[in-house]
Amino acid sequence: MPKVKFILFLFLLLIISFKSSTAENFYIVYKVNNEIITNSDIEKEYRYLVSLNNQLKNLEKQKIIELSKESALREKIKKIELIKYFDLKTINIDIDNYLENFYRNLNIKNKKEFEEYLQSNNISLNYVQKKIEIEILWNQLIYDRYIGQINIDRNQLKEKVKKLISTKKQKKYSLSEILFDIENNSNFEKKLENINQSISEIGFKNTANIYSISDSSKFGGKIGWIEEQKLSTKILEQLKALEVGQYTSPVQVGSSFLILKIEEIKYENAIINEDEELNKMIQFETSKQLDQFSKIFYEKIKINSFINEL
């Protein structure tokens, strides 16, 4: 009997020791309204961001941790807002197409390979799917709120389509972006100097992760192929003067500034259906304006959120 008691005593000591150790390793990083973000959340975000851009491994670990904290905070703020409009526990979203676009951005062929890739980075597919669901719902919320405020010059787009039809070749750019803001009392020249220096030292992709406020930042700013005719005149003027690997000066887009890097250029035979091309341009312009509304709305709710970094 004494032996049994002794074994039970040791067992209890192990449990207490384990709980104590766990408590020491677990702590709250942010409190956002009534929600929390823990160090465990930050560690997962860290692995997630590095899996999307392996070049981040070349940065100092503390820099990646800061990126992870900002990324986790941004998602938490969005999620808190979404709960006001959607039941996140029961809503059923078909994310197959979004998921495919996601892993194609990483040059991964199929879902199975993507899941294996995530596992090698200690990330579950379900974790990524939940993130995609939040972005889908966020985009839906922005669409519902602001679609009535979209302003598109259809006549101007029709002229672009006619000009495209008259050409034999269609020029496309594979682009990456850095979209940045100037905070109150900040100096534009200083911010731009920091960005240019960062590009010089750690490359465009890592700089996009650090400075860009666009959703593409998680992929190192990659936005993919865009037809020449979809670009604004002031952006196109700069791109035409550049070679592959070079990037533009900042172009003002609403209240933000956009830097674009040319990754590749290609030409395709221009077999154009006028109505289809017009619809594509309208969708592209609509998405561009909704992105601006998304940024404005996010900043608004962030300002009105109680954020306490512990």
Side-chain angles (χ1 to χ4, degrees):
M1 190 70 177
K3 187 176 181 180
V4 173
K5 288 183 178 180
F6 179 72
I7 292 172
L8 285 173
F9 176 72
L10 286 178
F11 182 68
L12 287 172
L13 279 179
L14 285 172
I15 292 175
I16 293 169
S17 176
F18 175 77
K19 287 185 176 180
S20 176
S21 174
T22 303
E24 288 177 4
N25 295 325
F26 182 87
Y27 56 89
I28 297 171
V29 179
Y30 286 111
K31 187 173 182 182
V32 187
N33 296 346
N34 294 319
E35 300 276 342
I36 61 170
I37 299 173
T38 69
N39 62 314
S40 177
D41 297 323
I42 303 301
E43 287 168 10
K44 285 182 182 178
E45 195 70 17
Y46 180 104
R47 296 195 300 272
Y48 171 70
L49 292 179
V50 170
S51 71
L52 299 187
N53 177 13
N54 280 313
Q55 290 185 19
L56 282 177
K57 292 178 181 178
N58 299 326
L59 298 182
E60 294 177 5
K61 185 173 182 179
Q62 188 57 40
K63 178 72 75 174
I64 311 174
I65 290 172
E66 291 303 317
L67 286 174
S68 304
K69 287 168 67 176
E70 180 58 34
S71 180
L73 178 61
R74 183 164 53 246
E75 182 175 272
K76 179 66 72 174
I77 290 171
K78 287 183 177 182
K79 190 174 181 180
I80 290 171
E81 185 67 18
L82 289 172
I83 289 171
K84 299 176 184 177
Y85 307 93
F86 304 99
D87 185 347
L88 302 188
K89 293 180 179 179
T90 61
I91 196 163
N92 186 22
I93 304 173
D94 183 2
I95 68 166
D96 286 346
N97 289 334
Y98 296 92
L99 187 63
E100 182 176 355
N101 290 333
F102 199 88
Y103 60 69
R104 294 288 183 188
N105 268 328
L106 298 171
N107 296 318
I108 294 175
K109 295 178 182 179
N110 54 55
K111 186 176 178 180
K112 182 180 179 181
E113 285 187 13
F114 182 49
E115 189 166 10
E116 291 172 352
Y117 173 74
L118 292 175
Q119 288 175 351
S120 71
N121 287 279
N122 197 19
I123 302 168
S124 71
L125 179 62
N126 183 63
Y127 179 76
V128 176
Q129 288 174 326
K130 292 298 181 184
K131 284 180 168 293
I132 294 174
E133 286 177 1
I134 288 173
E135 286 305 313
I136 292 172
L137 290 174
W138 176 263
N139 291 337
Q140 183 63 52
L141 176 61
I142 297 302
Y143 181 90
D144 292 342
R145 288 180 69 93
Y146 295 106
I147 189 61
Q149 298 182 43
I150 298 298
N151 183 21
I152 294 177
D153 188 337
R154 296 177 69 93
N155 291 328
Q156 184 184 55
L157 295 183
K158 285 179 181 179
E159 288 301 316
K160 281 190 174 185
V161 174
K162 287 178 181 179
K163 185 177 179 180
L164 179 62
I165 290 174
S166 67
T167 64
K168 293 183 179 180
K169 291 286 186 179
Q170 184 180 32
K171 189 175 184 180
K172 290 185 175 182
Y173 293 93
S174 176
L175 301 172
S176 295
E177 66 177 351
I178 296 173
L179 183 70
F180 65 96
D181 276 342
I182 303 299
E183 295 79 13
N184 293 337
N185 302 319
S186 295
N187 184 289
F188 172 80
E189 295 299 332
K190 183 63 178 176
K191 181 72 170 278
L192 182 58
E193 180 185 342
N194 291 338
I195 290 174
N196 284 330
Q197 182 177 349
S198 178
I199 293 173
S200 176
E201 292 176 353
I202 63 175
F204 197 94
K205 286 184 70 174
N206 286 341
T207 301
N209 278 114
I210 295 169
Y211 286 99
S212 183
I213 60 173
S214 171
D215 286 339
S216 66
S217 65
K218 65 173 74 76
F219 294 105
K222 181 180 178 181
I223 53 178
W225 290 100
I226 297 181
E227 292 88 349
E228 183 180 49
Q229 70 275 7
K230 289 182 179 178
L231 299 166
S232 69
T233 302
K234 57 184 178 181
I235 288 176
L236 197 53
E237 284 175 354
Q238 287 207 47
L239 291 178
K240 285 182 175 180
L242 300 177
E243 297 179 357
V244 171
Q246 296 180 322
Y247 57 90
T248 67
S249 300
V251 176
Q252 188 159 5
V253 181
S255 60
S256 303
F257 296 88
L258 177 67
I259 299 173
L260 290 172
K261 179 188 175 187
I262 302 177
E263 302 290 352
E264 294 181 67
I265 298 175
K266 68 180 179 180
Y267 295 85
E268 294 181 347
N269 292 328
I271 303 172
I272 307 299
N273 179 295
E274 187 171 350
D275 291 335
E276 287 182 3
E277 193 61 32
L278 178 60
N279 286 332
K280 286 181 183 178
M281 288 189 179
I282 291 172
Q283 290 174 9
F284 181 81
E285 184 61 30
T286 300
S287 295
K288 190 167 68 173
Q289 292 185 33
L290 287 173
D291 284 343
Q292 285 298 306
F293 283 121
S294 174
K295 183 179 73 67
I296 293 168
F297 184 62
Y298 171 77
E299 290 300 326
K300 179 181 176 182
I301 62 175
K302 182 179 180 181
I303 290 171
N304 292 320
S305 298
F306 177 76
I307 302 171
N308 186 18
E309 185 172 3
L310 303 174

